[in-house]
Amino acid sequence: MLDDFSQDPESHGGPPDAMLLYRLRDLCLRELGFDDIYTQAKDESTRAALLVLPSVLAAIDDISDDVSRSEALIRGMLAGNLAALDSTDDRDWSADFLTLSDSLPPKPWVVDDTEGAAQAWSNGGEDKWSKAVIFCAGAGSETVLGMLPAVRDLAKRNVQVILVAPDMPSGAAITHEDLMNLLHQVQAAAPDDALSIAISSSRILVLNSGSDLQAIDLSAVSPELAYAASDADAIMLHGQSHGWETNFGARFKCPSLRVAVVQQQAAGDLGERHSSCVVKYTIAV
């Protein structure tokens, strides 16, 4: 396959962009009998993260200023992404998550709309947003500790939250089935928490993205997602594969937020030599 690419970059259906490379990687793994190679790692990370989740939620609840709390949630999404990128060092990031946001790459970031995004989250989430569609990233602490606190905050503002994930395993991405199981675990662990109440009342729903990749082709989403997103008031793309490697320039008819820690080789496109952060907030077009 690599020889094919060297001779003709479009030999496997098009130029070797992120979407095609993800697809070919997963195809090769499945042909060799590897369906979900991260199953054990995802399960272990999820179990560890669920133990820490109550303390993370309590820390968020202790922030009285609305805008500051929204900014902390955005930094938490970055921290979740950072934990996923640094997972190869065998460190248990779940136990250190409350301080991980202080370990984010130093500013200036590749894109830093944090202040505007936090202000919009605070104002829009309370007064204007009625539905938010969130494309989830990796399993384990990335979603449990990085995304669920944000989901909980939106649900407490009476925002309908649609969580989106692929149907099939792809890298360490959380799948539709993983998300469904996670929400059941959250309910069982803390049935009286606002997050569990929102799940029970269907204020938080899970939809299949229509993709079998950890990245998302927004032109080919599932019919259910297309329908659910048609009246969304906010779109959030979490992680490098959703909001940086793909869809960075995508335009929406509602406000959108991309949050990711960008790895060194990807950030090089904009002149960065080290890992950096992307917090890109755009208004409706």
Side-chain angles (χ1 to χ4, degrees):
M1 184 179 296
L2 293 178
D3 290 338
D4 292 342
F5 275 127
S6 65
Q7 296 175 14
D8 180 5
E10 299 192 14
S11 59
H12 287 269
D17 58 13
M19 294 293 294
L20 180 59
L21 293 176
Y22 279 133
R23 188 174 301 282
L24 293 177
R25 177 202 62 186
D26 291 347
L27 177 62
C28 290
L29 286 171
R30 288 167 188 154
E31 286 183 347
L32 293 172
F34 298 102
D35 182 27
D36 189 351
I37 61 174
Y38 289 98
T39 297
Q40 182 175 349
K42 291 194 297 185
D43 289 346
E44 292 175 353
S45 179
T46 296
R47 285 195 296 270
L50 283 170
L51 295 176
V52 182
L53 181 59
S55 60
V56 173
L57 297 179
I60 292 295
D61 289 343
D62 285 342
I63 303 174
S64 58
D65 180 72
D66 201 12
V67 176
S68 298
R69 185 167 59 252
S70 299
E71 182 173 349
L73 290 166
I74 293 171
R75 291 183 65 86
M77 292 167 67
L78 288 169
N81 206 198
L82 180 62
L85 295 182
D86 286 349
S87 61
T88 54
D89 67 3
D90 295 325
R91 181 177 178 181
D92 181 8
W93 280 117
S94 295
D96 297 324
F97 195 83
L98 287 172
T99 59
L100 186 55
S101 63
D102 296 328
S103 302
L104 295 175
K107 295 186 178 184
W109 293 342
V110 175
V111 182
D112 186 7
D113 296 334
T114 306
E115 183 176 345
Q119 186 68 54
W121 187 311
S122 177
N123 294 337
E126 182 176 358
D127 300 327
K128 300 176 183 178
W129 297 352
S130 60
K131 180 188 290 186
V133 175
I134 300 177
F135 291 86
C136 298
S141 59
E142 188 167 10
T143 291
V144 177
L145 303 180
M147 182 54 71
L148 286 188
V151 170
R152 176 178 179 263
D153 181 83
L154 290 170
K156 289 173 68 174
R157 299 174 187 271
N158 294 319
V159 178
Q160 171 80 68
V161 181
I162 307 295
L163 301 178
V164 182
D167 186 48
M168 299 179 66
S170 179
I174 193 166
T175 66
H176 178 272
E177 183 179 1
D178 292 335
L179 263 179
M180 294 295 293
N181 291 336
L182 173 60
L183 296 189
H184 289 313
Q185 290 175 281
V186 168
Q187 286 180 287
D192 297 326
D193 183 77
L195 183 59
S196 296
I197 294 172
I199 297 169
S200 301
S201 63
S202 298
R203 186 160 293 282
I204 300 172
L205 300 174
V206 178
L207 287 182
N208 177 5
S209 67
S211 174
D212 58 355
L213 304 176
Q214 64 188 79
I216 180 70
D217 181 353
L218 294 174
S219 68
V221 301
S222 67
E224 296 80 7
L225 175 56
Y227 177 79
S230 62
D231 61 346
D233 301 295
I235 302 288
M236 298 184 187
L237 298 111
H238 188 210
Q240 179 172 283
S241 60
H242 287 146
W244 175 257
E245 295 172 341
T246 61
N247 308 308
F248 183 73
R251 297 185 297 172
F252 300 95
K253 294 181 178 179
C254 64
S256 61
L257 177 64
R258 296 160 177 80
V259 178
V261 175
V262 184
Q263 295 185 70
Q264 182 176 357
Q265 60 268 32
D269 293 338
L270 291 185
E272 290 290 319
R273 300 186 63 185
H274 303 286
S275 295
S276 187
C277 294
V278 171
V279 179
K280 181 182 180 183
Y281 176 76
T282 56
I283 60 175
V285 297

